[in-house]
Amino acid sequence: MRLKDMQGAASIALLLMSLCTQPSLGQQTPTSPTTPAAPQPVANDTTGQAGLPQAPEPKPTEPLFMRPTSRDFTKPKSHIWNPIAPYTAIQLPTFQMGNTTLSSLLKDGKLYLSLADAVALALENNYDIAISRINLDIADTDLLRARAGSSLRGVSTGLLTNTIGGTTLTITTGGGPGATSQGVGGGGTGVGGIVVSTNGGGPVPENLDPVVTGQVSYEASTQPQLNTLFSGGLNVLTTNTGTYNFNYAQGFLTGTQLTVGFNNTRVTTDNPFSNYSPSLTTSFRATATQHLLQGFGWGVNGRFILQAKNDRRITDSAFRQQLLFTVNQVENIYWALVSAYEDEQAKERQLAQSSQLTSDNRKQLEIGTLAPLDVVNSDSAVASDKQALVASKTNLEYQQLLMKQAIARTLNDPQLSQAPVIPTDRVALDRLPEEDLQVEDLVKQAYANNPQIEQAVLNMKNNEITIKAFKNGLLPVVDAYAFYGGSALGGAQNPSAIDFSKNTPFPPGTFPSVSYGTVFQNTFNNNAPDKGVGVNINITLRNRTAQADQARSQMEYMQSQMRLQQLYTLIRIQVTNQQYALTNDRAQVQAAQAARDFAAQSLDAEQKKYRLGASTTANVLQQARNLATGENNLISATAAYARDRAQLFQLLANTLDRYGISIEAAAQAVGGGAGMATPVIPGLTAPKAPEAPKPIDVNPGAAPPQ
């Protein structure tokens, strides 16, 4: 068969393959983009308004909040068994810089790495995940503060993107018909350009941790007297005073504050006007104050506890989002490495072909059957192929380095840093169940599982708590209080006491001695009671600050509602676009495979003609370049399909479930994911060498012979 006939038949076969193998986008894709859509029932509830597309409540991240840890930072150190324990520092385990389980993958100086190994190592060693894991304990410390009535310090729940190469530029093809991105917000207009949110504002909660204060002192005083009339004729008075005062204060979630004070004084003096020396004076007062308007009730004083729990749930969700993101980054890096690895092999094959052609040309030149210009042409092709191979090798080495930094904590180990990484997995082109689902079903999955929606809903709950707090802050301060106390006096008769009516010292026994025990008893037996009730009122005229904060809290809540609805729309577009991307990518892979096969067949035919003297060196080199281009396109298209497949899993937030990754195990170990099961990643296949050119089937639609 002549070459033109072969090329024509191959073109017809390629066209038929492209028409027959074009996959459909599930069941929801209409015949034409302009075909009117059939009426659809409302499937996803997001607005609460009939007739509008809605979305379900997000699936909460459970049971992370109750995960077992070596140290529960939501609980304080107890006084039991060790009275000074609450006043001692908490020691955290030292961060381990070593890599885990990498040595078992090193064989003969090479690091053989599957995608499951790469993901497992990232869960154990990746810094982005390790930093995000600590945020879980930081959120627990905020809950501990809230239970004491203190304000919250907050937790950084932003996505960490410091794994280099996760958003690789190596894979540039593929994708859906559109692209989505989130805009950057405007600059702040507050002090220093920082905008302070109303979140956490409102009346200050009561201090829920009991506070005990004490004063123990001794004072010896010698004071010269200006007038001896009031000092019994003494020019100098000597007084020794011992003070032993104690106070207990505690707030309660109801807006109640209790204070109990107990004061003791022991005074020894030579003042003749004092009947007792030493004199013992004791008193106590218990005061209960209750907020009646502003600051009243559990909702105001316990709101930080609710917010801290919501923040912990947000941190749980952010950790899940970090796992999804980092696993996706590792997959992108892995497929970029596979692409670079296969590209380097293709460049070696291309150089081998051009080198073989040059060798054959030189032999023909020696026997005089080939023009020197053909040798120069083939030599130029060899030089170009060598340069392409050098560029491909350097790119492969860089991709290997990116892979190592994504799965290792340190690259200081010379054996690891020098070992080449050999990827052992390739992506399969089997259709995913998600490709055949209706868009609404995919969107429903994304709405229920997406951690961004979960965080947005929890943030709205915090905003609702803040709105209630500022509404309470509009009220005047009206506090009712009641107190009860008592006092007592005792001691021993002062030997220096003088009866000024007779100008003689009092006889012994004139003032009976009263022991401290009796004084203490008289303090609490209603012998000298002190009691009363009252109301404190504090009304801010015009109340402009409270009005501004209360209005602003509602505006910020309205903004959070809008952001949530915007997020629903964004996720819908992203999921739809990613479903299109898989359809486009598979078609691109199949077209690239057909083009590569055609190029291989064309090169084989051209080489046969060249050996028979019916072709030229230029034609052979052109077909070789066509084959190289076809292989590059196939490699890029396959990598793009693998990338977009992983991206769809991330958008649906089902990567962890699909791969069998335990989020609880990933969160438990501070030093890494020790004890985690190796992920099981479906849709992979073993590497295989490029197939040799097949004979062209001139009748691809015919039934196979019996």
Side-chain angles (χ1 to χ4, degrees):
M1 183 181 293
R2 294 181 303 172
L3 177 62
K4 290 184 178 180
D5 295 336
M6 295 174 63
Q7 291 178 338
S11 300
I12 294 174
L14 178 60
L15 178 61
L16 292 174
M17 289 175 61
S18 63
L19 293 175
C20 296
T21 61
Q22 192 68 257
S24 61
L25 181 58
Q27 302 173 358
Q28 78 283 0
T29 304
T31 305
S32 170
T34 59
T35 302
Q40 298 291 333
V42 173
N44 302 314
D45 192 350
T46 60
T47 65
Q49 300 180 19
L52 293 179
Q54 311 291 325
E57 286 291 328
K59 182 175 66 177
T61 304
E62 296 288 358
L64 265 186
F65 186 74
M66 301 301 294
R67 80 188 197 284
T69 57
S70 58
R71 176 74 169 88
D72 187 352
F73 292 95
T74 64
K75 297 180 180 179
K77 289 185 176 181
S78 175
H79 289 279
I80 301 176
W81 310 119
N82 185 2
I84 65 171
Y87 315 108
T88 58
I90 297 174
Q91 300 297 332
L92 297 179
T94 304
F95 179 72
Q96 301 296 327
M97 291 295 297
N99 299 316
T100 60
T101 66
L102 275 172
S103 57
S104 62
L105 303 177
L106 286 169
K107 299 178 182 178
D108 301 326
K110 297 180 181 180
L111 182 63
Y112 291 90
L113 192 68
S114 67
L115 180 57
D117 291 332
V119 171
L121 290 171
L123 294 174
E124 297 178 8
N125 298 322
N126 187 271
Y127 278 112
D128 286 349
I129 294 178
I131 294 172
S132 182
R133 184 183 292 119
I134 295 177
N135 284 336
L136 300 172
D137 289 330
I138 292 177
D140 285 348
T141 63
D142 247 8
L143 180 55
L144 184 61
R145 284 178 57 87
R147 287 172 174 167
S150 299
S151 60
L152 307 181
R153 296 191 180 276
V155 188
S156 176
T157 56
L159 203 61
L160 298 171
T161 59
N162 296 321
T163 299
I164 305 173
T167 52
T168 177
L169 298 178
T170 302
I171 306 173
T172 57
T173 60
T180 55
S181 62
Q182 296 183 2
V184 179
T189 57
V191 178
I194 299 176
V195 177
V196 180
S197 171
T198 59
N199 188 25
V204 178
E206 295 294 332
N207 188 356
L208 304 179
D209 271 3
V211 177
V212 177
T213 58
Q215 178 190 6
V216 179
S217 64
Y218 176 79
E219 179 184 2
S221 172
T222 302
Q223 296 179 331
Q225 303 299 303
L226 293 175
N227 190 338
T228 59
L229 176 64
F230 300 101
S231 62
L234 299 178
N235 293 324
V236 177
L237 286 181
T238 301
T239 304
N240 298 329
T241 305
T243 303
Y244 313 92
N245 297 336
F246 302 94
N247 189 75
Y248 177 91
Q250 182 178 2
F252 299 90
L253 291 175
T254 55
T256 307
Q257 185 178 28
L258 174 66
T259 59
V260 179
F262 181 52
N263 301 326
N264 299 268
T265 305
R266 183 181 187 278
V267 179
T268 302
T269 181
D270 57 2
N271 190 337
F273 286 97
S274 177
N275 295 335
Y276 288 97
S277 180
S279 63
L280 303 176
T281 303
T282 62
S283 65
F284 90 96
R285 172 177 284 192
T287 304
T289 303
Q290 174 64 53
H291 298 304
L292 299 181
L293 293 178
Q294 187 179 129
F296 172 80
W298 192 96
V300 175
N301 294 280
R303 70 184 189 276
F304 285 167
I305 298 177
L306 292 179
Q307 286 185 327
K309 290 181 178 179
N310 286 339
D311 288 347
R312 172 53 202 269
R313 292 284 299 279
I314 290 173
T315 309
D316 293 345
S317 179
F319 180 69
R320 181 164 66 96
Q321 183 182 3
Q322 185 67 57
L323 290 178
L324 292 169
F325 181 81
T326 302
V327 169
N328 180 260
Q329 281 189 308
V330 170
E331 286 196 74
N332 288 343
I333 296 173
Y334 189 88
W335 296 125
L337 173 62
V338 170
S339 177
Y341 184 81
E342 293 189 341
D343 180 73
E344 191 270 344
Q345 291 182 320
K347 294 297 189 295
E348 287 185 348
R349 292 193 298 270
Q350 183 179 347
L351 177 59
Q353 290 174 352
S354 59
S355 298
Q356 182 63 44
L357 179 62
T358 296
S359 176
D360 294 341
N361 286 348
R362 290 192 177 277
K363 293 179 181 178
Q364 294 187 42
L365 179 63
E366 291 176 359
I367 62 177
T369 60
L370 192 68
L373 185 59
D374 286 337
V375 176
V376 174
N377 192 2
S378 60
D379 286 345
S380 175
V382 170
S384 298
D385 291 344
K386 286 182 178 179
Q387 184 275 330
L389 179 59
V390 170
S392 181
K393 284 182 178 293
T394 56
N395 178 55
L396 174 59
E397 291 177 359
Y398 182 65
Q399 295 300 326
Q400 290 172 337
L401 181 62
L402 292 180
M403 188 77 260
K404 293 175 188 176
Q405 63 87 34
I407 63 175
R409 291 184 181 173
T410 176
L411 298 179
N412 294 334
D413 183 358
Q415 186 177 6
L416 173 63
S417 61
Q418 298 298 325
V421 182
I422 310 299
T424 60
D425 282 331
R426 301 296 184 268
V427 67
L429 295 178
D430 301 333
R431 287 186 65 81
L432 301 177
E434 289 81 0
E435 294 183 74
D436 297 319
L437 290 178
Q438 295 285 346
V439 169
E440 287 298 330
D441 294 332
L442 276 184
V443 171
K444 185 176 180 180
Q445 289 184 28
Y447 285 170
N449 298 326
N450 192 280
Q452 292 176 282
I453 293 180
E454 181 182 19
Q455 295 165 40
V457 172
L458 290 170
N459 277 320
M460 287 179 58
K461 291 183 179 180
N462 282 343
N463 288 339
E464 292 172 355
I465 294 173
T466 300
I467 288 176
K468 294 178 181 179
F470 277 112
K471 185 177 180 180
N472 181 267
L474 289 169
L475 302 175
V477 176
V478 179
D479 296 341
Y481 66 89
F483 63 87
Y484 175 82
S487 60
L489 176 65
Q493 181 175 329
N494 184 1
S496 301
I498 297 177
D499 185 357
F500 287 99
S501 63
K502 301 177 182 179
N503 201 23
T504 59
F506 285 107
T510 303
F511 305 103
S513 296
V514 181
S515 66
Y516 178 77
T518 303
V519 173
F520 182 82
Q521 181 180 2
N522 291 339
T523 303
F524 297 96
N525 64 5
N526 205 29
N527 185 57
D530 178 19
K531 50 190 174 183
V533 295
V535 176
N536 292 327
I537 301 176
N538 185 352
I539 301 177
T540 303
L541 301 180
R542 305 183 71 177
N543 209 23
R544 288 179 290 186
T545 300
Q547 291 180 50
D549 287 342
Q550 191 271 335
R552 177 169 178 153
S553 66
Q554 289 187 321
M555 296 174 188
E556 292 181 354
Y557 178 72
M558 188 179 300
Q559 286 180 326
S560 66
Q561 288 179 310
M562 294 179 181
R563 293 191 187 99
L564 178 59
Q565 294 303 320
Q566 185 182 44
L567 188 58
Y568 281 131
T569 302
L570 176 64
I571 291 176
R572 173 181 289 274
I573 295 297
Q574 288 177 330
V575 169
T576 305
N577 183 68
Q578 207 61 30
Q579 193 181 39
Y580 287 139
L582 286 185
T583 300
N584 295 345
D585 291 345
R586 180 176 288 102
Q588 187 175 9
V589 171
Q590 292 171 339
Q593 180 67 55
R596 184 265 170 199
D597 292 343
F598 172 68
Q601 292 166 343
S602 299
L603 175 60
D604 183 62
E606 199 68 39
Q607 287 174 335
K608 292 178 180 178
K609 289 176 58 180
Y610 179 75
R611 297 189 190 101
L612 297 175
S615 182
T616 64
T617 300
N619 289 339
V620 174
L621 292 176
Q622 180 61 47
Q623 295 299 338
R625 284 191 290 268
N626 292 342
L627 176 59
T629 302
E631 289 187 334
N632 288 339
N633 291 339
L634 178 59
I635 292 171
S636 299
T638 305
Y641 169 79
R643 176 204 60 191
D644 289 336
R645 190 186 75 153
Q647 180 66 26
L648 177 62
F649 297 159
Q650 183 189 1
L651 287 174
L652 298 177
N654 62 2
T655 306
L656 305 182
D657 295 335
R658 181 179 286 271
Y659 293 175
I661 297 173
S662 169
I663 187 174
E664 293 86 355
Q668 284 176 10
V670 176
M676 293 182 56
T678 302
V680 179
I681 302 178
L684 302 179
T685 184
K688 60 180 181 180
E691 297 180 358
K694 297 179 181 178
I696 297 178
D697 187 359
V698 297
N699 190 14
Q706 299 295 328

